[in-house]
Amino acid sequence: GTTIAAVPRVAVVVFLLRGKAVLLGRRRSSVGDSTFALPGGHLEFGESFEECAVRELKEETGLDIDKKRMELLTVTNNVSSEQPKPSHYVTVFMRGVWADGDDQLPQNLEPTKCDGWDWYDWANLPEPLFWPLEKMVKSGFNPFPNSPQE
Ligand code: 8DG
Ligand code: MG
Ligand code: MG
């Protein structure tokens, strides 16, 4: 087949917070199949992190969130030599906040890529988590504002 040059890519993913819960979906993908992951995707040419976060969230869940209330939390380097698809992502973690009293429901708009979206308590996350997320959680990172880890 065709040989594709392996290069690092930039991914932007979103911790959408609602109370003590975060929005996660079980992946359907050759990368991290059936693990729980944040909404997000690839940064497009010319995009800001905020624009990418808002766009991916909309494309994948139908949810509209305020670009001005998006914040950059951290960046991690994720290298995997796993066959058949080695990958290298620089992953930008953004925080979005669910507006109080918001009645939008997450929709599964890309059902070939995800089993569906749901809210999961931070203290009781589902397993297995997608490994870059798992790595971050294990490092003690907490996406909530005013948490001691920040
Ligand atoms: P796109 O075509 O919409 O741009 O991409 P996508 O189909 O939405 O890509 P994705 O796999 O959801 O996200 C791109 C990469 O981001 C993924 O292969 C690895 C990296 N990534 C992480 N952590 C997470 C995470 O928690 N969720 C998601 N969705 N991607 C993550 O490093
Ligand atoms: Mg996407
Ligand atoms: Mg995605």
Side-chain angles (χ1 to χ4, degrees):
T2 317
T3 303
I4 299 168
V7 292
R9 302 191 71 185
V10 180
V12 175
V13 299
V14 187
F15 277 109
L16 186 59
L17 309 180
R18 177 186 154 192
K20 292 177 176 167
V22 299
L23 190 69
L24 298 173
R26 203 194 270 268
R27 288 173 70 80
R28 284 289 161 238
S29 169
S30 55
V31 176
D33 192 46
S34 85
T35 61
F36 288 88
L38 301 163
H42 301 95
L43 185 70
E44 291 182 357
F45 189 86
E47 251 182 348
S48 70
F49 296 154
E50 289 79 6
E51 285 165 349
C52 181
V54 168
R55 176 183 56 74
E56 285 287 345
L57 194 73
K58 179 75 176 174
E59 287 174 1
E60 298 184 352
T61 72
L63 298 175
D64 282 302
I65 59 165
D66 187 352
K67 196 168 83 182
K68 289 189 267 345
R69 290 184 66 196
M70 285 249 107
E71 291 169 76
L72 172 64
L73 291 179
T74 191
V75 177
T76 62
N77 191 41
N78 298 294
V79 179
S80 164
S81 53
E82 203 174 301
Q83 297 297 336
K85 245 195 168 179
S87 68
H88 182 176
Y89 280 98
V90 173
T91 306
V92 178
F93 290 83
M94 305 293 289
R95 169 166 63 213
V97 179
W98 182 262
D100 234 15
D102 204 325
D103 61 1
Q104 300 177 80
L105 285 176
Q107 300 165 260
N108 192 18
L109 296 183
E110 295 181 342
T112 61
K113 291 185 180 182
C114 178
D115 278 351
W117 300 104
D118 213 339
W119 300 99
Y120 295 91
D121 225 16
W122 184 252
N124 191 17
L125 291 171
E127 290 176 8
L129 293 175
F130 188 30
W131 71 268
L133 180 60
E134 170 83 10
K135 190 175 85 171
M136 179 195 224
V137 172
K138 282 227 170 98
S139 79
F141 191 88
N142 183 317
F144 291 83
N146 310 315
S147 60
Q149 287 87 354
E150 261 186 67

